[in-house]
């Protein structure tokens, strides 16, 4: 059973930085797509970023490109989301998600099989 446990959410001022972590366990396949999906109050879920393991190929939604970086520590089975230049519109619950390594529609939140419980990020102006 795959388990994803997020940490690192916090309240920060606009322009600040945060790093989210997601500890993954229970994988039996050699590869996966690990990513982050966020949901703000009264808004739909929004895909943020995905990294395809073990190749390390990363994908980002346009609104976070050049500000967020997704990375993977294979030894620790942990995926990170480094978030810089945070904006109030980044405020949301951030969920770690996992799907098959050959996932094509990685920008669609419904395509992910496993979800963590989420970690809250709040950015104040």
């Amino acid at each position: 059973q795959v388990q994803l446990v997020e940490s690192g959410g916090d309240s920060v001022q606009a322009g600040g930085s945060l790093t989210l972590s997601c500890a993954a366990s229970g994988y039996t396949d050699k590869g996966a797509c690990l990513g982050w999906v966020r949901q703000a109050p009264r808004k739909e879920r929004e895909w943020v970023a995905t990294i395809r393991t073990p190749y390390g190929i990363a994908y980002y939604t346009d609104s976070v490109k050049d500000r967020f970086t997704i990375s993977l520590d294979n030894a620790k089975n942990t995926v990170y989301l480094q978030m810089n230049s945070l904006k109030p519109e980044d405020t949301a619950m951030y969920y770690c998600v996992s799907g098959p390594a050959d996932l094509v529609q990685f920008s669609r939140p419904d395509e992910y099989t496993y979800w963590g419980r989420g970690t809250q990020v709040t950015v104040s102006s």
Side-chain angles (χ1 to χ4, degrees):
Q1 179 72 18
V2 172
Q3 289 189 321
L4 305 170
V5 180
E6 305 97 333
S7 61
D10 206 345
S11 297
V12 296
Q13 296 279 340
S17 298
L18 279 176
T19 299
L20 305 183
S21 301
C22 172
S25 61
Y27 285 97
T28 57
D29 296 330
K30 292 185 177 180
C33 278
L34 292 170
W36 295 90
V37 170
R38 66 187 180 185
Q39 187 167 25
R42 298 174 297 281
K43 291 189 176 180
E44 294 186 355
R45 295 180 300 183
E46 177 189 24
W47 169 73
V48 177
T50 290
I51 189 164
R52 199 182 296 273
T53 75
Y55 312 104
I57 302 172
Y59 311 91
Y60 301 91
T61 192
D62 286 345
S63 64
V64 308
K65 282 181 181 177
D66 301 323
R67 298 191 299 124
F68 291 10
T69 302
I70 189 169
S71 62
L72 178 68
D73 186 331
N74 283 306
K76 296 182 178 179
N77 292 325
T78 299
V79 61
Y80 302 97
L81 186 68
Q82 172 69 42
M83 305 185 293
N84 299 324
S85 302
L86 282 162
K87 304 175 181 180
E89 52 263 43
D90 294 318
T91 295
M93 183 70 78
Y94 284 70
Y95 297 93
C96 182
V97 295
S98 174
D102 59 354
L103 184 62
V104 175
Q105 307 231 24
F106 49 80
S107 64
R108 295 180 58 176
D110 288 347
E111 294 293 318
Y112 291 91
T113 309
Y114 299 101
W115 291 65
R117 293 188 174 184
T119 187
Q120 178 68 38
V121 173
T122 302
V123 185
S124 57
S125 57

